[in-house]
């Protein structure tokens, strides 16, 4: 396997750091930290670049917050500057290298992939096979082992300066484990970590009908016994090689529907996951009151409705669409914009 060196010059180039700043600030320009940074931006970007060149950069202290949607979890937040800018500068160079390592049916965080493409691929397998092994990993991101992750990274990257920065980010969280949810790099650290499983299944067992999105994955087959055997084999590999374990793993007939990527996949149709539909209903029910109280603008409400409609169009949601009265909500937005 080819190992990449001489990446540092590209990472710390003025052009790359400027582009990284643009990407890190996309959709966030009204945030106080981003707006403040925009004053004397060039000077501040120069300071960030110099901190990398001199190796005086170190990952900042994390702030934390708890979210409940789509499920309860703790998010770790780094400052916009220098950390988010530095992480974007790093990933603009190493992401293409890592992306080429991925199997075709790895769908998280990758250009041209994503949940909807993964859902369409899932339907191909649901229509073709009788059984599915569906599994996910227990406390995945908090369980990622720093030394194992660095060992995986070093197989592909040999540039000492780039490894210094990666090591700084990885070890910014104490305890030897955890790639914090909220870091831009963590998405790709997780992808790279479980690519070890992907490659193991593809090369050792020649598994064809296999899909993964983050720490959720499915294998399809007409042989139920073989899937049960693979369930045990994967559990052993996860424990032995990656220090991970299942939170859920089940073999079942596809006729009962494959709940994956936010949708329930059947041979002839796709439905929204039940808890997703419930969450959508609750969110839509709150919007008129939020608009009336001035907690949300008509433009923001319209954007939310468009996003939800985009999500719903990938599934059979006519009854849900009618029950939540999206057309009436859009009319309410239009009336508010006129006023």
């Amino acid at each position: 396997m080819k190992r990449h060196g001489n990446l540092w010059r590209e990472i710390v180039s003025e052009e790359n750091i400027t582009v990284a700043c643009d990407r890190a600030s996309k959709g966030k320009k009204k945030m106080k930290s981003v707006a403040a940074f925009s004053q004397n931006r060039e000077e501040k970007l120069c300071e960030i670049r110099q901190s990398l060149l001199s190796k005086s950069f170190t990952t900042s202290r994390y702030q934390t917050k708890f979210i409940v949607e789509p499920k309860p979890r703790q998010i770790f937040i780094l400052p916009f500057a220098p950390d988010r800018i530095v992480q974007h500068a790093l990933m603009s160079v190493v992401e293409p290298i890592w992306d080429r390592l991925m199997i075709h049916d790895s769908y998280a965080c990758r250009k041209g992939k994503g949940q909807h493409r993964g859902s369409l691929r899932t339907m191909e397998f649901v229509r073709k096979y009788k059984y599915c092994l569906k599994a996910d990993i227990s406390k995945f991101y908090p369980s990622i082992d720093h030394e194992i992750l660095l060992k995986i990274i070093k197989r592909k990257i040999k540039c000492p300066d780039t490894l210094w920065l990666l090591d700084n980010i990885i070890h910014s969280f104490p305890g030897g484990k955890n790639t914090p949810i909220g870091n831009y790099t963590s998405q790709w650290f997780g992808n790279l970590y479980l690519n070890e499983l992907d490659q193991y299944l593809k090369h050792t067992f020649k598994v064809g009908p296999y899909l993964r999105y983050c720490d959720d994955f499915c294998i399809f087959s007409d042989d139920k016994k073989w899937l049960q055997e693979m369930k045990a084999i994967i559990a052993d590999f996860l424990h032995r090689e990656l220090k991970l374990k299942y939170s859920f793993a089940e073999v079942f007939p596809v006729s009962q529907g494959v709940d994956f990527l936010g949708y329930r996949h059947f041979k002839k149709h796709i439905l929204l996951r039940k808890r997703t539909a419930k969450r959508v209903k609750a969110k839509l029910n709150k919007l008129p009151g939020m608009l009336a109280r001035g907690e949300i603008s008509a433009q923001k409400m319209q954007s939310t409705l468009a996003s939800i409609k985009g999500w719903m169009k990938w599934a059979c949601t006519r009854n849900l669409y009618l029950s939540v009265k999206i057309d009436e909500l859009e009319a309410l937005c239009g009336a508010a914009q006129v006023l």
Side-chain angles (χ1 to χ4, degrees):
M1 180 185 290
K2 178 183 176 182
R3 296 174 69 220
H4 291 257
N6 302 316
L7 303 175
W8 191 241
R9 182 178 297 180
E10 187 177 353
I11 290 171
V12 299
S13 70
E14 292 181 12
E15 180 183 2
N16 187 50
I17 290 177
T18 299
V19 171
C21 181
D22 292 338
R23 290 176 177 172
S25 62
K26 187 176 181 180
K28 301 180 177 70
K29 292 183 178 179
K30 292 184 179 180
M31 290 176 57
K32 290 181 180 179
S33 59
V34 178
F37 187 86
S38 65
Q39 301 175 19
N40 301 318
R41 170 177 142 138
E42 298 307 316
E43 180 181 338
K44 292 172 183 175
L45 287 177
C46 183
E47 291 174 359
I48 291 174
R49 181 169 182 267
Q50 288 302 317
S51 74
L52 292 171
L53 289 170
S54 66
K55 302 293 195 301
S56 62
F57 169 83
T58 189
T59 302
S60 303
R61 184 185 296 273
Y62 289 96
Q63 301 294 320
T64 62
K65 73 174 182 179
F66 289 89
I67 63 171
V68 295
E69 295 290 350
K71 60 183 179 181
R73 56 184 176 174
Q74 189 175 23
I75 302 295
F76 297 86
I77 305 166
L78 287 172
F80 169 74
D83 298 271
R84 292 184 179 273
I85 295 171
V86 167
Q87 290 194 11
H88 274 271
L90 168 67
M91 293 308 301
S92 69
V93 176
V94 301
E95 181 179 320
I97 296 170
W98 290 347
D99 187 70
R100 290 192 289 272
L101 297 174
M102 302 293 138
I103 63 171
H104 175 78
D105 285 316
S106 173
Y107 286 91
C109 314
R110 301 175 65 200
K111 294 175 183 176
K113 299 292 182 176
Q115 289 176 285
H116 293 138
R117 286 185 182 273
S119 177
L120 293 175
R121 184 69 160 159
T122 302
M123 281 299 291
E124 289 183 34
F125 293 147
V126 165
R127 288 169 176 152
K128 188 174 181 180
Y129 296 97
K130 294 180 181 179
Y131 299 100
C132 174
L133 164 60
K134 182 179 181 296
D136 59 28
I137 308 300
S138 176
K139 299 178 181 178
F140 175 54
Y141 288 100
S143 299
I144 292 177
D145 184 277
H146 293 169
E147 298 311 315
I148 295 175
L149 177 59
L150 280 168
K151 182 180 177 181
I152 293 168
I153 288 171
K154 288 176 181 178
R155 290 188 204 141
K156 197 64 180 175
I157 293 175
K158 63 181 180 180
C159 173
D161 296 318
T162 305
L163 289 172
W164 164 81
L165 180 55
L166 285 161
D167 184 273
N168 188 290
I169 294 169
I170 290 168
H171 283 112
S172 65
F173 202 95
K177 289 189 175 184
N178 204 334
T179 55
I181 299 172
N183 271 4
Y184 178 51
T185 51
S186 291
Q187 303 171 48
W188 269 97
F189 289 158
N191 234 2
L192 198 62
Y193 205 75
L194 277 183
N195 183 57
E196 297 294 294
L197 173 64
D198 301 344
Q199 300 299 331
Y200 177 66
L201 293 176
K202 288 292 184 178
H203 292 119
T204 304
F205 295 96
K206 311 299 181 184
V207 174
Y210 165 73
L211 308 97
R212 181 174 63 81
Y213 188 92
C214 295
D215 62 320
D216 293 346
F217 59 88
C218 294
I219 303 176
F220 295 84
S221 175
D222 289 330
D223 188 337
K224 186 177 182 180
K225 182 180 178 182
W226 177 79
L227 287 176
Q228 292 286 7
E229 291 171 354
M230 290 306 303
K231 175 183 171 181
I233 288 168
I234 292 169
D236 176 69
F237 178 85
L238 290 171
H239 173 74
R240 175 170 37 87
E241 299 294 332
L242 301 176
K243 298 183 180 179
L244 300 173
K245 63 181 180 180
Y246 290 134
S247 68
F248 169 89
E250 182 182 354
V251 176
F252 56 90
V254 300
S255 58
Q256 74 180 47
V258 177
D259 191 340
F260 190 51
L261 299 168
Y263 299 100
R264 290 183 292 153
H265 302 82
F266 297 86
K267 287 186 178 292
K268 294 184 178 181
H269 62 277
I270 303 175
L271 299 177
L272 279 183
R273 180 181 286 168
K274 288 182 179 179
R275 64 175 177 267
T276 301
K278 185 177 180 180
R279 188 168 67 246
V280 166
K281 285 183 178 180
K283 188 170 186 176
L284 291 175
N285 286 338
K286 292 178 182 178
L287 290 179
M290 293 175 68
L291 181 66
R293 293 188 298 270
E295 296 173 6
I296 188 173
S297 68
Q299 291 82 0
K300 178 64 177 177
M301 181 171 167
Q302 186 67 56
S303 176
T304 300
L305 292 173
S307 177
I308 290 173
K309 287 174 68 177
W311 181 263
M312 292 171 64
K313 76 176 183 180
W314 292 86
C316 298
T317 57
R318 176 171 172 76
N319 289 338
L320 176 63
Y321 186 94
L322 293 174
S323 69
V324 295
K325 302 178 181 179
I326 287 185
D327 291 340
E328 293 182 19
L329 292 174
E330 288 185 317
L332 181 64
C333 281
Q337 288 174 343
V338 170
L339 294 175

